[in-house]
Coordinates of all heavy atoms in Angstrom, one line a residue:
A1 N -17.0 58.4 -21.4 CA -18.3 58.9 -21.2 C -19.4 58.2 -22.0 O -20.6 58.2 -21.6 CB -18.3 60.4 -21.6
K2 N -19.0 57.6 -23.1 CA -19.9 56.9 -24.0 C -19.8 55.4 -23.9 O -20.5 54.6 -24.6 CB -19.8 57.3 -25.5 CG -20.1 58.8 -25.7 CD -19.9 59.1 -27.2 CE -20.3 60.6 -27.5 NZ -20.1 61.0 -28.9
N3 N -18.9 54.9 -23.0 CA -18.7 53.5 -22.9 C -18.4 52.9 -24.3 O -18.9 51.8 -24.6 CB -19.8 52.8 -22.2 CG -19.9 53.1 -20.7 OD1 -19.1 53.8 -20.2 ND2 -20.9 52.5 -20.0
T4 N -17.5 53.5 -25.1 CA -17.3 53.0 -26.5 C -15.8 53.1 -26.8 O -15.1 54.0 -26.4 CB -18.1 53.9 -27.4 OG1 -19.4 53.9 -27.1 CG2 -17.8 53.5 -28.9
V5 N -15.3 52.1 -27.5 CA -14.0 52.0 -28.0 C -14.1 52.0 -29.5 O -15.0 51.4 -30.1 CB -13.2 50.8 -27.4 CG1 -13.9 49.5 -27.9 CG2 -11.8 50.9 -27.8
Y6 N -13.1 52.6 -30.1 CA -13.1 52.8 -31.6 C -11.8 52.2 -32.2 O -10.8 52.1 -31.5 CB -13.3 54.3 -32.0 CG -14.4 55.0 -31.4 CD1 -14.3 55.8 -30.2 CD2 -15.6 54.9 -32.0 CE1 -15.3 56.5 -29.6 CE2 -16.8 55.6 -31.5 CZ -16.6 56.3 -30.3 OH -17.7 57.0 -29.8
L7 N -12.0 51.8 -33.4 CA -10.7 51.5 -34.2 C -10.9 52.2 -35.5 O -11.7 51.8 -36.4 CB -10.6 50.0 -34.4 CG -9.4 49.6 -35.1 CD1 -8.1 49.8 -34.2 CD2 -9.4 48.1 -35.4
Q8 N -10.1 53.2 -35.7 CA -10.0 53.9 -37.0 C -9.0 53.2 -37.9 O -7.8 53.0 -37.5 CB -9.5 55.4 -36.9 CG -9.4 56.1 -38.1 CD -10.7 56.3 -38.9 OE1 -11.7 56.7 -38.2 NE2 -10.7 56.1 -40.2
M9 N -9.4 52.7 -39.1 CA -8.6 51.9 -40.0 C -8.4 52.7 -41.3 O -9.4 53.0 -42.0 CB -9.2 50.6 -40.2 CG -9.5 49.8 -38.9 SD -10.0 48.1 -39.2 CE -11.7 48.4 -40.0
N10 N -7.2 53.0 -41.6 CA -6.9 53.8 -42.8 C -5.9 52.9 -43.7 O -5.3 52.0 -43.2 CB -6.2 55.1 -42.5 CG -7.1 56.0 -41.7 OD1 -8.3 56.0 -41.8 ND2 -6.5 56.9 -40.8
S11 N -5.9 53.3 -44.9 CA -5.0 52.6 -45.8 C -5.2 51.1 -45.8 O -4.2 50.3 -45.7 CB -3.6 53.0 -45.6 OG -3.3 54.4 -45.7
L12 N -6.4 50.7 -45.9 CA -6.8 49.2 -45.7 C -6.2 48.4 -46.9 O -6.1 48.9 -48.0 CB -8.3 49.1 -45.6 CG -8.8 49.5 -44.2 CD1 -10.3 49.7 -44.3 CD2 -8.5 48.3 -43.2
K13 N -5.8 47.2 -46.5 CA -5.2 46.3 -47.5 C -6.1 45.1 -47.5 O -6.8 44.7 -46.5 CB -3.8 45.9 -47.0 CG -2.9 47.1 -46.8 CD -1.5 46.6 -46.3 CE -0.6 47.8 -46.0 NZ 0.7 47.3 -45.5
P14 N -6.0 44.3 -48.6 CA -6.8 43.0 -48.7 C -6.5 42.1 -47.5 O -7.4 41.4 -47.0 CB -6.3 42.4 -50.0 CG -6.0 43.6 -50.8 CD -5.4 44.6 -49.9
E15 N -5.2 42.1 -47.0 CA -4.8 41.3 -45.9 C -5.4 41.7 -44.6 O -5.4 41.0 -43.5 CB -3.4 41.1 -45.7 CG -2.6 42.4 -45.7 CD -2.0 42.8 -47.1 OE1 -2.8 42.6 -48.1 OE2 -0.9 43.3 -47.1
D16 N -6.1 42.8 -44.5 CA -6.9 43.3 -43.3 C -8.2 42.6 -43.2 O -9.0 42.7 -42.3 CB -7.0 44.8 -43.3 CG -5.7 45.5 -43.1 OD1 -4.8 45.1 -42.3 OD2 -5.5 46.5 -43.9
T17 N -8.6 41.9 -44.3 CA -9.9 41.2 -44.3 C -10.0 40.2 -43.2 O -9.2 39.3 -43.1 CB -10.2 40.5 -45.7 OG1 -10.2 41.6 -46.7 CG2 -11.5 39.7 -45.7
A18 N -11.0 40.3 -42.4 CA -11.2 39.4 -41.2 C -12.5 39.8 -40.5 O -13.2 40.9 -40.8 CB -10.0 39.5 -40.3
V19 N -12.9 39.0 -39.5 CA -13.9 39.3 -38.6 C -13.2 40.0 -37.4 O -12.2 39.5 -36.9 CB -14.7 38.2 -38.1 CG1 -15.8 38.6 -37.0 CG2 -15.4 37.4 -39.3
Y20 N -13.6 41.2 -37.1 CA -13.0 42.0 -36.0 C -13.9 42.0 -34.8 O -15.1 42.1 -34.8 CB -12.9 43.5 -36.5 CG -11.7 43.7 -37.4 CD1 -11.8 43.2 -38.7 CD2 -10.5 44.3 -37.0 CE1 -10.7 43.3 -39.6 CE2 -9.5 44.5 -37.9 CZ -9.6 44.0 -39.2 OH -8.5 44.1 -40.0
Y21 N -13.2 41.6 -33.7 CA -13.9 41.4 -32.4 C -13.4 42.5 -31.4 O -12.2 42.8 -31.3 CB -13.5 40.0 -31.8 CG -14.1 38.9 -32.7 CD1 -13.2 38.3 -33.7 CD2 -15.3 38.4 -32.5 CE1 -13.7 37.3 -34.4 CE2 -15.8 37.3 -33.2 CZ -15.0 36.8 -34.2 OH -15.5 35.7 -34.9
C22 N -14.3 42.9 -30.6 CA -14.1 43.9 -29.5 C -13.8 43.0 -28.2 O -14.5 42.0 -28.0 CB -15.2 44.8 -29.3 SG -15.1 45.9 -27.9
N23 N -12.9 43.3 -27.4 CA -12.5 42.6 -26.2 C -12.4 43.6 -25.0 O -11.8 44.6 -25.1 CB -11.2 41.8 -26.4 CG -10.7 41.2 -25.2 OD1 -10.0 41.8 -24.4 ND2 -11.1 40.0 -24.9
A24 N -12.9 43.1 -23.9 CA -12.8 43.9 -22.6 C -12.0 42.9 -21.6 O -12.4 41.8 -21.5 CB -14.1 44.3 -22.0
N25 N -11.0 43.4 -21.0 CA -10.2 42.5 -20.1 C -9.8 43.3 -18.8 O -9.2 44.3 -18.9 CB -9.0 42.1 -20.9 CG -8.2 41.0 -20.2 OD1 -8.8 40.4 -19.3 ND2 -7.1 40.7 -20.7
R26 N -10.1 42.6 -17.7 CA -9.5 43.0 -16.5 C -9.4 41.8 -15.6 O -8.7 40.8 -15.9 CB -10.3 44.2 -15.8 CG -9.6 44.8 -14.6 CD -10.3 46.1 -14.2 NE -9.5 46.7 -13.1 CZ -9.7 46.7 -11.8 NH1 -10.8 46.0 -11.4 NH2 -8.9 47.3 -11.0
V27 N -10.2 41.7 -14.6 CA -10.3 40.4 -13.9 C -11.1 39.4 -14.7 O -10.7 38.2 -14.9 CB -11.0 40.6 -12.5 CG1 -11.1 39.2 -11.8 CG2 -10.1 41.5 -11.6
S28 N -12.2 39.8 -15.3 CA -13.0 39.1 -16.2 C -12.7 39.5 -17.7 O -12.2 40.6 -17.9 CB -14.5 39.3 -15.9 OG -14.8 38.9 -14.6
E29 N -13.1 38.7 -18.6 CA -12.8 39.0 -20.0 C -14.1 38.8 -20.8 O -14.8 37.8 -20.6 CB -11.8 38.1 -20.6 CG -11.3 38.4 -22.0 CD -10.2 37.6 -22.5 OE1 -10.1 36.4 -22.1 OE2 -9.4 38.1 -23.3
Y30 N -14.4 39.7 -21.7 CA -15.6 39.7 -22.4 C -15.3 39.9 -23.9 O -14.4 40.6 -24.3 CB -16.6 40.8 -21.9 CG -16.9 40.8 -20.5 CD1 -16.5 41.9 -19.7 CD2 -17.5 39.7 -19.8 CE1 -16.7 42.0 -18.3 CE2 -17.7 39.8 -18.5 CZ -17.3 40.9 -17.7 OH -17.5 40.9 -16.4
W31 N -16.2 39.4 -24.8 CA -16.0 39.4 -26.2 C -17.3 39.9 -26.8 O -18.4 39.5 -26.4 CB -15.6 38.1 -26.8 CG -14.3 37.6 -26.4 CD1 -13.9 36.8 -25.4 CD2 -13.1 37.9 -27.1 NE1 -12.6 36.6 -25.4 CE2 -12.0 37.3 -26.4 CE3 -12.8 38.7 -28.2 CZ2 -10.7 37.4 -26.8 CZ3 -11.4 38.7 -28.7 CH2 -10.4 38.1 -27.9
G32 N -17.2 40.6 -27.9 CA -18.3 41.0 -28.8 C -18.5 39.9 -29.8 O -17.8 38.9 -29.8
Q33 N -19.6 40.1 -30.7 CA -20.0 39.1 -31.5 C -19.2 39.1 -32.9 O -19.2 38.2 -33.7 CB -21.5 39.1 -31.9 CG -21.9 40.2 -32.9 CD -21.7 41.6 -32.4 OE1 -21.6 41.9 -31.2 NE2 -21.9 42.6 -33.3
G34 N -18.5 40.2 -33.1 CA -17.7 40.4 -34.2 C -18.4 41.1 -35.4 O -19.6 41.2 -35.5
T35 N -17.6 41.9 -36.1 CA -18.1 42.5 -37.3 C -17.1 42.3 -38.5 O -15.9 42.3 -38.4 CB -18.2 44.1 -37.1 OG1 -18.8 44.7 -38.2 CG2 -16.8 44.7 -36.8
Q36 N -17.7 42.0 -39.7 CA -16.9 41.5 -40.8 C -16.3 42.8 -41.5 O -17.1 43.8 -41.8 CB -17.8 40.8 -41.8 CG -17.1 40.4 -43.1 CD -16.0 39.3 -42.9 OE1 -16.2 38.4 -42.2 NE2 -14.8 39.5 -43.5
V37 N -15.0 42.8 -41.8 CA -14.4 43.8 -42.6 C -13.8 43.1 -43.8 O -13.1 42.1 -43.7 CB -13.3 44.5 -41.8 CG1 -12.4 45.4 -42.8 CG2 -13.9 45.2 -40.7
T38 N -14.2 43.5 -45.0 CA -13.7 43.0 -46.3 C -13.1 44.0 -47.1 O -13.7 45.1 -47.4 CB -14.9 42.3 -47.0 OG1 -15.4 41.3 -46.3 CG2 -14.3 41.6 -48.3
V39 N -11.8 43.8 -47.4 CA -11.1 44.8 -48.3 C -10.8 44.2 -49.6 O -10.0 43.2 -49.8 CB -9.8 45.2 -47.6 CG1 -9.1 46.3 -48.4 CG2 -10.0 45.7 -46.1

């Protein structure tokens, strides 16, 4: 209904540090610009 996907991240570890990208995939594939997560 909101055209939104979520990622709830708990118990984060330093090795989870990365740029996180959203992806949409069917016949075509789309990417977001990314968001930085630093643990």
